[in-house]
Amino acid sequence: MEITDKELRTSPIHTLFRRYFYPTLGGMLAVSLVTVTDGIFVGNGIGADGVAAVNLVWAPLMLFIGLGLMLGMGSSVAASIALAKGDVITAKRHVTQSMIVGFLAVSFVVSVMFISPAATVRILGASDTLTGVSVEYLVYILPGFLFDIFAMIGLFVLRVDGNPKLAMWCTVLRALVNIILDYVLIFPLGMGIKGAAIATSLSYVVGAAVVLVYLTGYARSLRLLNPINPASWKGCMNNIWLQCKIGVSGMLGEGVMALTMFLGNIMTMKYLGDAGVGAFGLICYYLPFVFLVGNSIAQGAQPIISFNYGYGDFQRVKSTERVAIKTAIISGFIMGALFLLGRYPLTDIFLSVESTSGNIAVSAFPYYSLCAVPYIFNIASIGYFQSIGRVAPSIVFSLLRGPVFLIPSFLLLPTAIGVTGIWIALAVSELMTAVCICAYYWKHHK
């Protein structure tokens, strides 16, 4: 059942937030399930080298997801505010322009990476052992992102259009397609790492198809405009600039994941070799769970906050943010407990805990449990500033999570305390950012 504009203005906040949050969380968990299942198949079908190769390749690919988050969040906030003011055509322009510009940007980067995939994976830190398998994965996963950009932006738009359940089922369908094809291509057909990449790419095609069919023929308010019509491109530069300003912290948030993977790969290779990269790669299959829970809270609150902000009901805006922050803190404790108490089974489904990589991963999980609460809190808080178009604080706090705190943590802590410094670098960075956000909230609590 679609959520109407009247409900956005009048329904109880807790009820409305649940109607957005649970479908969004279900879809996000489906994404995480795909990631973990893909890793299980790669780990059991190919081994630790396969897990390490996938982790190496995904560091730059996270930037594609970041682009989708930036344009998706930016266009959805802009469209929500336009709809609240009754300007439907401007809302449609934001959505149409974000999708076309996103596709063109991804096409350019994919073309550049295709020119020399071997050099790309070498830059990412691949050893001689990992270069071949990393290149094979890269060249078959890249085409999928030409389609996934439509799904990543479109899922935001579906929620703004009042259809969060369809967004969830679109994500679930992608997950099922990926899981089924992963098994078939890796095991019965014996395609190895190439099969894992092809399975993921084909699942992206399915997700894009669902989104485009809905937005071209069934959307309530936000059907795509005809891109051939010059009127569809009115104000394009200003609109895209506005979307990027609003959503850039979403891209920076994904950049934190990419930076974590890149720096973690470099440091574990330096201190622990290929086995360390395999262990870190295993953990990186689970970190998206933490990120996506936080992102689900931010995206679940965004349509309510943006619409009521555009409508001028600031009391409902503040009430929604309080619900989101409480949900973030509770979710963080749950995720931290799962990392701490479930470290053995979480490792064993990928690699034997008796293996070198498995043993390293088991010892690292407790340190990563420390980052869950501040990590999710930070994402939810930054999402609030995005939702009301407060560009400066959302960018500042995103930068704190990344280059300001994360890079020094990864570079200095291992030097000071050894391998443990690698594992706690993310938690230290997120905790310092959370302190800064709390100080900002305290100063501007009115």
Side-chain angles (χ1 to χ4, degrees):
M1 180 177 173
E2 294 184 350
I3 299 172
T4 64
D5 293 351
K6 182 179 179 181
E7 289 175 300
L8 284 169
R9 294 197 304 268
T10 61
S11 290
I13 294 298
H14 282 85
T15 302
L16 200 55
F17 178 75
R18 286 195 295 268
R19 292 180 65 186
Y20 276 108
F21 172 63
Y22 287 128
T24 305
L25 180 62
M28 293 292 183
L29 291 179
V31 172
S32 297
L33 179 63
V34 168
T35 303
V36 170
T37 304
D38 186 77
I40 292 171
F41 288 142
V42 170
N44 287 277
I46 302 164
D49 284 352
V51 173
V54 171
N55 191 53
L56 284 167
V57 169
W58 264 95
L61 300 186
M62 300 291 282
L63 297 179
F64 291 140
I65 299 175
L67 176 66
L69 289 175
M70 178 175 70
L71 293 176
M73 175 64 83
S75 63
S76 62
V77 169
S80 292
I81 294 173
L83 289 176
K85 296 177 178 179
D87 192 352
V88 178
I89 189 64
T90 296
K92 290 182 177 181
R93 283 197 183 108
H94 275 290
V95 172
T96 304
Q97 293 166 5
S98 68
M99 286 198 161
I100 302 301
V101 171
F103 174 76
L104 294 175
V106 170
S107 298
F108 173 76
V109 179
V110 165
S111 299
V112 171
M113 295 179 74
F114 255 122
I115 294 175
S116 183
T120 299
V121 299
R122 282 290 193 177
I123 291 172
L124 298 174
S127 63
D128 292 339
T129 304
L130 298 177
T131 295
V133 66
S134 299
V135 167
E136 188 175 16
Y137 186 79
L138 178 66
V139 297
Y140 285 99
I141 193 71
L142 280 177
F145 284 94
L146 298 174
F147 299 92
D148 194 43
I149 188 67
F150 293 112
M152 286 188 289
I153 297 173
L155 292 176
F156 282 90
V157 178
L158 263 59
R159 297 184 190 101
V160 172
D161 200 57
N163 218 322
K165 287 187 178 180
L166 179 60
M168 178 191 73
W169 287 115
C170 175
T171 310
V172 170
L173 178 61
R174 286 199 307 170
L176 291 174
V177 170
N178 199 348
I179 290 170
I180 293 170
L181 290 179
D182 257 336
Y183 173 76
V184 172
L185 297 180
I186 292 176
F187 293 104
L189 296 183
M191 296 177 67
I193 198 76
K194 177 171 70 175
I198 293 173
T200 302
S201 290
L202 291 177
S203 73
Y204 290 164
V205 174
V206 172
V210 173
V211 164
L212 292 175
V213 167
Y214 176 80
L215 292 180
T216 53
Y218 299 95
R220 184 187 64 181
S221 302
L222 296 175
R223 291 192 185 187
L224 295 176
L225 299 173
N226 182 358
I228 300 177
N229 188 341
S232 301
W233 295 97
K234 182 179 179 181
C236 180
M237 293 297 293
N238 289 333
N239 289 342
I240 294 299
W241 176 243
L242 175 63
Q243 293 170 25
C244 290
K245 286 197 300 181
I246 294 172
V248 68
S249 56
M251 185 172 192
L252 292 173
E254 197 70 24
V256 171
M257 284 292 299
L259 192 61
T260 299
M261 295 171 71
F262 176 72
L263 293 174
N265 289 330
I266 297 297
M267 299 307 289
T268 51
M269 179 67 77
K270 176 181 178 180
Y271 283 83
L272 298 168
D274 287 351
V277 176
F280 182 67
L282 187 156
I283 291 170
C284 284
Y285 274 109
Y286 289 109
L287 284 180
F289 275 96
V290 184
F291 173 77
L292 292 176
V293 169
N295 211 21
S296 298
I297 296 169
Q299 291 185 29
Q302 181 268 315
I304 310 170
I305 292 174
S306 296
F307 188 90
N308 284 286
Y309 184 78
Y311 193 70
D313 192 339
F314 304 118
Q315 185 58 47
R316 287 178 67 80
V317 170
K318 290 189 288 185
S319 297
T320 305
E321 173 60 359
R322 283 196 292 268
V323 171
I325 292 299
K326 289 177 183 177
T327 306
I329 294 172
I330 294 171
S331 300
F333 279 112
I334 293 173
M335 293 301 299
L338 288 174
F339 274 24
L340 179 62
L341 302 177
R343 59 190 183 277
Y344 285 97
L346 290 177
T347 300
D348 205 39
I349 60 176
F350 282 89
L351 302 168
S352 170
V353 294
E354 303 299 328
S355 67
T356 304
S357 293
N359 187 260
I360 294 172
V362 167
S363 66
F365 263 116
Y367 297 107
Y368 280 96
S369 69
L370 300 174
C371 77
V373 173
Y375 198 120
I376 297 176
F377 169 81
N378 292 342
I379 294 173
S381 299
I382 291 169
Y384 165 71
F385 295 117
Q386 288 177 296
S387 298
I388 61 173
R390 293 287 301 278
V391 176
S394 65
I395 293 176
V396 168
F397 294 133
S398 296
L399 290 173
L400 291 181
R401 295 182 64 229
V404 176
F405 290 146
L406 188 61
I407 292 177
S409 296
F410 261 116
L411 296 180
L412 299 178
L413 290 175
T415 303
I417 59 177
V419 173
T420 301
I422 300 174
W423 309 138
I424 67 170
L426 181 61
V428 169
S429 173
E430 295 294 342
L431 183 59
M432 289 193 293
T433 303
V435 170
C436 294
I437 291 175
C438 288
Y440 184 88
Y441 271 134
W442 182 261
K443 182 178 179 181
H444 300 278
H445 67 280
K446 293 183 181 181

